[in-house]
Amino acid sequence: MNGLGLYFDVAHLLAGGLVLVSFMMLYQFRMYALLNFYAVHALVLSASVAWQALIQGAPHLYVTAGIALVFKALIIPVALHRIVQRLGIHRTIETVVGIGPTMLAGMGLVALSIGVMLPVTGSADILAREDLAFALAVILLGLLMMVSRHNAVSQVVGFMSLENGLVLAATGAKGMPLVVEISVAFSVLIAFIVIGIFLFRIRERFDTVDVQALDSFRGERR
Amino acid sequence: MSHEELGLWLVRAVLLVPALSACLLALIPGYRLSARLNMLASLATLAAAAALFRVRPTPGAFLIVDDVNVVFIVLNTFVGFTTSVFSASYIAHELEVGRLTPVSLRFYHAMYQALMAAMNLALVANNVGLMWVAVEIATLTTVLMVGIYRTHAALEAAWKYFILGSVGIGLALFGTIIVYMASRSVVGEGLDAMAWTVLVRHAPAFDPALLNLAFVFLLLGYGTKVGLAPLHAWLPDAHAEGPTPISAVLSGLLLNVALFALLRFRMVMAGNAEALAPGPLMVTMGLSSLLFAGFMLYRRHDIKRLFAYSSIEHMGIITFAFGMGGPLANFAGLLHMTMHSLTKSAIFFAVGHVAQAKGTQRLSEIRGLTVSHPVLGWALLLGVFAIAGMPPLGVFMSEFLVVSSTFARQPLLAIPLVAGLLLAFGALLWQAVGIAFGEPQGESRPVHASTVPLWAHLALVLMAGVYVPGPIVRWFQHVAALLG
């Protein structure tokens, strides 16, 4: 079982690395740093998916890994860099609560996801179950990032890290039909286009991409 | 052509007619022509959908038409067609006052058909992954349409809808992956493990713990799209700030599609004896939506927001009914869903023209409509009576069935249910009286309203309240029994 042990350890290392990078994204103050960490996030995801492709003997997963590498780790961060530059929002990121409480909440979420997933997935194969626990942690951390930031670009980054967690889960589930992996990658593309349009429009009309500024105006007072 | 082949072509038509028209409409300038084409395409889709009642193909790996979803497809395409008729007269006015440009109209028509195609795909998909993709496309197209006016408020609404909708959809995908994990160990790897038909057949053998976990994610995910109470924040904004035909389609159709997805998974859950019963969760969320929306209805100042909250209320009632389960409650839920779709879209047709006539959506500036615009005013009043649940209209019938089936099985649950219904009833009537009667206020412009779709919907609702044809009753009973 020596070989399986190695497979196992590397898969864990990569999935755990993804959770770690998610944490690192939580405490970034600067927009550029956040985008760089998102690129690292996508890179680790790509490695993790490629490793799954190798050990599952599923060559189609290499496509997913390639999409993660080229599209998520290169094109999107570069494009976002340029948007941030053009909009002049590269200064600090506004957070709703302090970094300390956010990190504590993040730790709680990771504990929660491991506590929930491991007992429940007892019957599933051991590789998949730990992957799923890590994936859930990444998803929850992405959600946390979305709610703890005001700025539209960092919310989008949070959403994309959430999508990375979904890809991790989908590739961990052995033999899942290709339909899903492509759809996830594709949805990121569409989502990105939508977001691009949004950012553009918001910039066109107002001088901020701060979601809180949008919140200050409503159709009605509550 | 054989029966089978014909059925296959009909399913393809339901998907391809709107999808191809979306491409075509994106290319055509000139709103008159594209509005007509939009209607024509919707009518053709409706015809194909209606024919599926008679002829249908055997379920394949990706597409399925069965007794359950054919009801949803026909309702979907019918309201899609009537809304396209309403939309033609609505957008003519929007173009006149300059709120929409010819370019954004092209975009609007293309997105309208893309949305119809995505919703139909979600309904006929026999693969949980494919269905998820379709719901996601439907969400993205509506996000784009909600933001089409590009005002401050519209952008905020679209952004909020996009973020909350994406999170919901992300959670739903996670739930879908866990369902696959559960079915893989029984069915084996590959496409089969994600097909509805296979999932339902093998549900008793699935690992109950995995199914429980999956259902929680699916309920939160698709529940966000249904607009159930703690997850509803996007719904009022999206309804209020987008073009009114989109509010009608969102309320009348897209919420149903998300609920349909939930119902399919509920059937899988119900098939497994050891898994958590999905009913109590759905009942709780339904009731909380109903009560929450009932209170919120009193404090609205915007006419479209008012009816958006009323949609939350009614989705709550429908989810409650399906959560109760059993043939009678399911029948009531199905009937209520149909009635709500017809009534709510009729109300939005009226509201769209009212907002155009008054130049505002603020309730305080809309007064005495029956005096200033008799046709629209009375139609809106009738619609509000219908949605509030006044006898003898159809919504009363279905609400009565929900209440009576609850009293028969869980009398304690009937108390909050009736309280919520009365709360909403009072709020809607109070608001409606203010809108319809009194001294007309503010500006009042003439509108070229086409009230045909409006009256057609209201006539159907009235008819359903007085007499539902036997075949329809039998069909709904049959579907209710299938839903378990």
Side-chain angles (χ1 to χ4, degrees):
Chain A
M1 294 301 277
N2 212 3
L4 187 65
L6 178 70
Y7 283 170
F8 210 66
D9 291 344
V10 175
H12 267 186
L13 178 72
L14 290 170
L18 209 57
V19 178
L20 188 70
V21 181
S22 276
F23 261 111
M24 288 157 96
M25 282 162 73
L26 272 184
Y27 64 75
Q28 295 311 314
F29 274 117
R30 292 184 179 279
M31 195 60 89
Y32 286 147
L34 181 67
L35 293 178
N36 292 342
F37 272 104
Y38 174 71
V40 175
H41 202 263
L43 206 66
V44 177
L45 175 77
S46 164
S48 168
V49 174
W51 185 253
Q52 291 285 347
L54 184 74
I55 58 179
Q56 291 179 16
H60 61 267
L61 286 185
Y62 286 118
V63 179
T64 312
I67 293 172
L69 182 66
V70 175
F71 186 65
K72 292 183 182 166
L74 281 175
I75 298 176
I76 284 192
V78 169
L80 277 176
H81 253 278
R82 299 191 68 162
I83 288 177
V84 165
Q85 206 169 20
R86 214 177 58 206
L87 300 184
I89 46 170
H90 49 271
R91 291 175 303 275
T92 53
I93 298 167
E94 305 280 322
T95 51
V96 179
V97 285
I99 294 296
T102 313
M103 294 298 283
L104 281 177
M107 276 149 71
L109 288 177
V110 174
L112 178 78
S113 51
I114 289 172
V116 165
M117 290 306 292
L118 288 190
V120 167
T121 50
S123 69
D125 73 292
I126 190 150
L127 230 131
R129 62 190 284 238
E130 315 233 329
D131 247 17
L132 266 187
F134 281 130
L136 183 60
V138 173
I139 290 170
L140 291 178
L141 287 175
L143 271 177
L144 179 65
M145 191 166 151
M146 286 175 81
V147 298
S148 68
R149 301 293 168 91
H150 283 321
N151 180 289
V153 173
S154 41
Q155 285 189 338
V156 169
V157 173
F159 175 64
M160 291 190 304
S161 73
L162 188 154
E163 291 258 32
N164 284 353
L166 288 172
V167 174
L168 183 70
T171 50
K174 194 158 173 278
M176 186 134 167
L178 183 65
V179 138
V180 178
E181 288 107 17
I182 287 191
S183 72
V184 171
F186 193 60
S187 68
V188 173
L189 175 72
I190 302 174
F192 186 66
I193 296 168
V194 176
I195 293 156
I197 296 167
F198 269 106
L199 293 177
F200 181 64
R201 282 185 180 178
I202 290 172
R203 180 66 191 173
E204 194 180 273
R205 290 264 167 180
F206 325 109
D207 284 325
T208 176
V209 280
D210 192 331
V211 172
Q212 210 177 28
L214 285 177
D215 275 335
S216 66
F217 178 84
R218 281 181 185 283
E220 67 185 57
R221 295 269 145 238
R222 295 224 173 95
Chain B
M1 198 187 290
S2 73
H3 213 250
E4 172 72 26
E5 260 177 78
L6 183 65
L8 211 57
W9 276 109
L10 284 175
V11 180
R12 283 182 198 149
V14 166
L15 300 175
L16 287 180
V17 168
L20 294 178
S21 341
C23 304
L24 188 67
L25 286 168
L27 299 174
I28 295 180
Y31 86 94
R32 273 174 215 284
L33 179 63
S34 50
R36 285 204 188 113
L37 265 178
N38 194 29
M39 277 165 18
L40 197 69
S42 306
L43 183 63
T45 319
L46 171 61
L52 282 175
F53 264 118
R54 293 239 157 250
V55 187
R56 68 179 66 146
T58 46
F62 288 105
L63 301 179
I64 181 177
V65 179
D66 60 8
D67 291 349
V68 179
N69 68 3
V70 76
V71 176
F72 284 77
I73 299 167
V74 171
L75 182 65
N76 200 42
T77 48
F78 175 73
V79 178
F81 168 61
T82 48
T83 307
S84 72
V85 176
F86 160 67
S87 154
S89 69
Y90 178 86
I91 55 160
H93 186 276
E94 297 296 280
L95 204 61
E96 234 167 72
V97 297
R99 283 183 82 190
L100 287 174
T101 61
V103 177
S104 55
L105 264 185
R106 233 155 102 177
F107 179 72
Y108 164 84
H109 279 127
M111 283 297 134
Y112 187 87
Q113 287 298 327
L115 171 66
M116 294 309 295
M119 287 197 295
N120 288 340
L121 180 62
L123 293 175
V124 297
N126 189 20
N127 178 300
V128 282
L130 186 64
M131 187 189 68
W132 180 85
V133 172
V135 173
E136 159 127 38
I137 297 173
T139 306
L140 288 174
T141 53
T142 41
V143 165
L144 290 172
M145 285 199 283
V146 166
I148 205 166
Y149 285 138
R150 299 174 69 171
T151 58
H152 214 144
L155 287 178
E156 186 212 336
W159 179 259
K160 205 165 165 184
Y161 177 31
F162 171 67
I163 291 287
L164 286 173
S166 310
V167 170
I169 270 182
L171 294 180
L173 179 61
F174 194 70
T176 309
I177 294 169
I178 302 178
V179 168
Y180 168 76
M181 298 270 296
S183 83
R184 192 198 58 180
S185 50
V186 177
V187 182
E189 289 173 20
L191 276 178
D192 265 2
M194 294 185 88
W196 279 125
T197 37
V198 180
L199 286 180
V200 173
R201 198 169 344 119
H202 292 278
F206 291 170
D207 178 10
L210 275 178
L211 275 186
N212 290 347
L213 190 68
F215 189 73
V216 170
F217 279 99
L218 291 165
L219 185 65
L220 286 178
Y222 286 122
T224 308
K225 297 285 308 157
V226 182
L228 294 177
L231 314 163
H232 68 280
W234 61 272
L235 196 144
D237 288 347
H239 278 65
E241 306 305 340
T244 311
I246 299 317
S247 317
V249 177
L250 264 179
S251 238
L253 304 179
L254 193 59
L255 304 185
N256 287 353
V257 170
L259 187 67
F260 172 77
L262 214 50
L263 284 182
R264 286 278 205 189
F265 284 111
R266 185 183 168 281
M267 283 165 80
V268 176
M269 291 293 287
N272 189 310
E274 283 161 63
L276 181 87
L281 285 175
M282 291 174 74
V283 164
T284 312
M285 284 186 92
L287 267 186
S288 62
S289 308
L290 169 64
L291 287 169
F292 169 79
F295 279 112
M296 295 303 274
L297 282 172
Y298 284 92
R299 299 179 55 203
R300 294 309 98 197
H301 305 293
D302 179 302
I303 189 163
K304 282 169 82 178
R305 259 166 226 270
L306 174 73
F307 293 113
Y309 274 98
S310 152
S311 288
I312 299 178
E313 177 221 333
H314 284 278
M315 291 324 280
I317 298 172
I318 300 165
T319 311
F320 175 87
F322 284 126
M324 290 295 291
L328 189 57
N330 279 342
F331 178 81
L334 268 178
L335 188 64
H336 194 67
M337 193 189 71
T338 315
M339 289 302 118
H340 172 251
S341 290
L342 292 174
T343 318
K344 190 51 68 62
S345 40
I347 287 179
F348 274 117
F349 297 164
V351 165
H353 286 312
V354 167
Q356 287 180 336
K358 305 296 280 185
T360 178
Q361 291 178 197
R362 291 195 70 77
L363 280 168
S364 57
E365 289 164 30
I366 304 175
R367 289 274 172 257
L369 267 183
T370 48
V371 180
S372 60
H373 300 82
V375 177
L376 276 178
W378 286 109
L380 182 60
L381 195 64
L382 184 61
V384 177
F385 279 173
I387 206 78
M390 282 271 232
L393 293 144
V395 179
F396 169 74
M397 267 280 286
S398 51
E399 281 181 356
F400 180 75
L401 278 174
V402 176
V403 171
S404 58
S405 65
T406 312
F407 258 119
R409 287 168 51 200
Q410 300 277 346
L412 276 182
L413 278 178
I415 297 168
L417 176 69
V418 172
L421 286 175
L422 289 177
L423 206 61
F425 181 81
L428 283 168
L429 284 200
W430 174 64
Q431 300 269 24
V433 167
I435 298 168
F437 303 115
E439 227 11 57
Q441 269 180 15
E443 61 175 322
S444 150
R445 286 177 265 181
V447 281
H448 306 287
S450 103
T451 46
V452 178
L454 173 57
W455 290 112
H457 278 203
L458 289 178
L460 280 176
V461 173
L462 180 63
M463 200 184 83
V466 180
Y467 166 74
V468 186
I472 296 185
V473 175
R474 277 193 294 280
W475 191 276
F476 274 28
Q477 279 170 340
H478 171 60
V479 174
L482 285 180
L483 285 173

